[in-house]
Amino acid sequence: MVGNTQDMRVIVEQSRRMGWPMWVMNAPTDAGDAQGNATTARPPVAWAFLRPIAWAPEACSSTGDLWLYVSRDWQGSGIAMRMIRRVFRECRRHGFDAITCWILGSNRRSLSLVRACRLTRWGNLPAVVDYGGLRFDLEIWGCKLDDPVWLAHMDRLERRHARLDARRSV
């Protein structure tokens, strides 16, 4: 998880250096911050990148590991869903045929997002993450990008969000 702007810069640089696809979303120009305060700059409020999973990189190079971050002020605003839909539309173009998301078992927002996208829970690594002496499960969620059931769900999701975006612009 990215805690500050410097952490984000390091991740952006690593993504560029390795050639991993990366998406950054800035705050909307007319929205200000999540509380409605006017802002002059358009800081990044969300980013995502894909990289091949680390396990057996030669054998698993077409399986992507999706990282997604939304700044605390923008969580719950719908930006994560907008970002993940964009990534899913573009990930095959970058050579991936399957996507995984590795999520802390206690991260309810991220788990809700992958469930809304109809990813499947592919695995659970019990209590393998240690944050300051606290142990957490690591859940692995994923999908095959050519799964017809998943594709149909994503098409419905795209149409639904297109209708919502059209209503907002009126």
Side-chain angles (χ1 to χ4, degrees):
M1 185 66 64
V2 173
N4 59 43
T5 305
Q6 182 58 34
D7 291 342
M8 183 176 171
R9 285 188 188 120
V10 169
I11 289 172
V12 168
E13 178 55 36
Q14 180 184 26
S15 183
R16 285 183 182 149
R17 189 175 59 252
M18 301 300 290
W20 299 330
M22 180 166 207
W23 299 263
V24 177
M25 186 174 291
N26 294 324
T29 55
D30 58 355
D33 64 16
Q35 288 76 38
N37 302 317
T39 59
T40 55
R42 294 183 58 211
V45 296
W47 57 260
F49 77 87
L50 273 171
R51 67 179 188 180
I53 62 172
W55 189 86
E58 298 80 23
C60 296
S61 64
S62 66
T63 301
D65 175 19
L66 173 62
W67 291 39
L68 175 67
Y69 173 79
V70 175
S71 68
R72 185 174 309 273
D73 288 344
W74 287 86
Q75 292 177 6
S77 70
I79 284 180
M81 179 57 82
R82 180 176 290 159
M83 181 71 88
I84 204 166
R85 287 180 11 250
R86 181 174 176 197
V87 169
F88 283 147
R89 283 193 305 266
E90 298 180 15
C91 55
R92 287 189 69 98
R93 181 171 61 92
H94 292 286
F96 296 103
D97 61 14
I99 297 300
T100 63
C101 298
W102 299 53
I103 303 170
L104 285 179
S106 61
N107 187 334
R108 290 190 175 138
R109 285 189 188 268
S110 293
L111 292 170
S112 177
L113 182 64
V114 296
R115 286 181 185 116
C117 292
R118 299 266 173 92
L119 273 63
T120 302
R121 186 174 182 230
W122 283 352
N124 182 55
L125 307 174
V128 298
V129 178
D130 182 354
Y131 277 138
L134 297 174
R135 304 295 287 192
F136 297 91
D137 290 357
L138 182 61
E139 296 189 20
I140 304 169
W141 290 74
C143 67
K144 296 289 286 178
L145 298 173
D146 62 354
D147 176 351
V149 173
W150 180 79
L151 286 168
H153 173 72
M154 292 307 287
D155 285 342
R156 284 189 304 275
L157 202 58
E158 282 296 318
R159 289 192 304 273
R160 177 177 172 243
H161 282 274
R163 286 190 306 272
L164 291 172
D165 290 343
R167 286 183 194 151
R168 281 188 210 115
S169 67
V170 170

